[in-house]
């Protein structure tokens, strides 16, 4: 089956539903691996191979903050539900928490022995979950930075993690072809 290319975002056009490219955000010096909107949509966060986390104003396309602290590629970024913090996971095996207003690093969560591929805040903002090349899912206190628990059960790298809306469960997806749901 041949697919026909139609203008779309690549050419700055619009698709059949009327979506149009608003801005192209430039500033990273490497591949961008993760992006997310803040709750309310007033900021965008990006994580890149250039070891940086950046925040952007989606209305103007202007860079707001550059967050420096990781020593390797940033694979995953996410906002807390109140929009006041960002969490990032990196090939440096660390999970970092940042203040979105000041750009200050407010926590470094260490404990993975492999690259961190996915991170997320719990909806209540009290915990962070991370998934890693080390095959582990870790749950952390977002307030103290301490490890709450380690969930072992995957046989290959964990590439995706998320909390349930009620804060009671975590879901993880892995290269082992499995999705696991855990009590949090």
């Amino acid at each position: 089956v041949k697919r026909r290319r139609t203008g779309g975002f690549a050419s700055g056009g619009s698709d059949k539903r009327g979506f149009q490219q608003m801005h192209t955000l430039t500033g990273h010096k490497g591949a961008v691996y993760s992006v997310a909107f803040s709750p309310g949509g007033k900021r965008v966060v990006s994580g890149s191979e250039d070891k940086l986390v950046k925040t952007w104003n989606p209305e103007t396309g202007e860079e707001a903050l550059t967050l420096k602290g990781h020593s390797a590629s940033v694979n995953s970024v996410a906002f807390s539900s109140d929009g006041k913090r960002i969490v990032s996971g990196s090939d440096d095996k660390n999970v970092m928490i940042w203040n979105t207003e000041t750009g200050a690093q407010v926590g470094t969560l260490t404990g993975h022995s492999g690259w961190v591929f996915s991170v997320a805040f719990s909806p209540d903002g009290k915990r962070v979950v991370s998934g890693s090349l080390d095959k582990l899912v870790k749950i952390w206190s977002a307030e103290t930075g301490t490890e709450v628990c380690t969930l072992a059960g995957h046989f290959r790298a964990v590439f995706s993690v998320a909390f349930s809306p009620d804060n009671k469960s975590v879901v993880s997806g892995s290269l082992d072809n499995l999705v696991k749901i855990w009590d949090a």
Side-chain angles (χ1 to χ4, degrees):
V1 175
K2 287 188 176 183
R3 293 185 183 188
R4 236 177 67 196
R5 289 188 70 146
T6 59
F9 292 106
S11 66
S14 63
D15 73 2
K16 293 178 183 174
R17 296 173 300 246
F19 288 103
Q20 292 195 356
Q21 178 180 319
M22 293 171 51
H23 299 288
T24 299
L25 309 178
T26 59
H28 281 295
K29 304 280 190 245
V32 176
Y33 294 135
S34 184
V35 294
F37 271 103
S38 66
K42 297 203 182 284
R43 287 278 185 255
V44 167
V45 63
S46 57
S48 171
E49 180 181 37
D50 63 9
K51 309 173 193 171
L52 300 175
V53 175
K54 290 182 179 278
T55 65
W56 311 83
N57 180 325
E59 294 296 318
T60 65
E62 293 176 359
E63 185 178 318
L65 294 170
T66 297
L67 311 178
K68 298 177 182 178
H70 284 293
S71 61
S73 297
V74 178
N75 299 315
S76 184
V77 292
F79 278 96
S80 60
S81 60
D82 63 6
K84 294 181 179 179
R85 292 170 295 163
I86 292 168
V87 63
S88 57
S90 169
D91 283 357
D92 64 11
K93 306 174 189 170
N94 292 319
V95 175
M96 293 186 179
I97 300 175
W98 311 86
N99 178 302
T100 58
E101 290 299 315
T102 65
Q105 183 183 328
V106 295
T108 300
L109 316 179
T110 58
H112 279 293
S113 62
W115 299 342
V116 178
F117 291 123
S118 184
V119 293
F121 275 101
S122 60
D124 64 10
K126 293 180 180 178
R127 293 178 292 168
V128 167
V129 63
S130 57
S132 170
L133 181 66
D134 62 13
K135 309 173 200 166
L136 301 174
V137 175
K138 290 186 179 280
I139 298 175
W140 313 84
S141 166
E143 296 161 349
T144 65
T146 57
E147 186 178 320
V148 175
C149 67
T150 297
L151 306 172
H154 283 292
F155 301 104
R156 296 188 65 196
V158 178
F159 264 75
S160 189
V161 293
F163 273 94
S164 63
D166 64 3
N167 299 297
K168 293 182 180 178
S169 301
V170 166
V171 63
S172 58
S174 167
L175 287 180
D176 61 11
N177 304 333
L178 301 173
V179 174
K180 294 184 178 277
I181 300 173
W182 314 80
D183 281 339

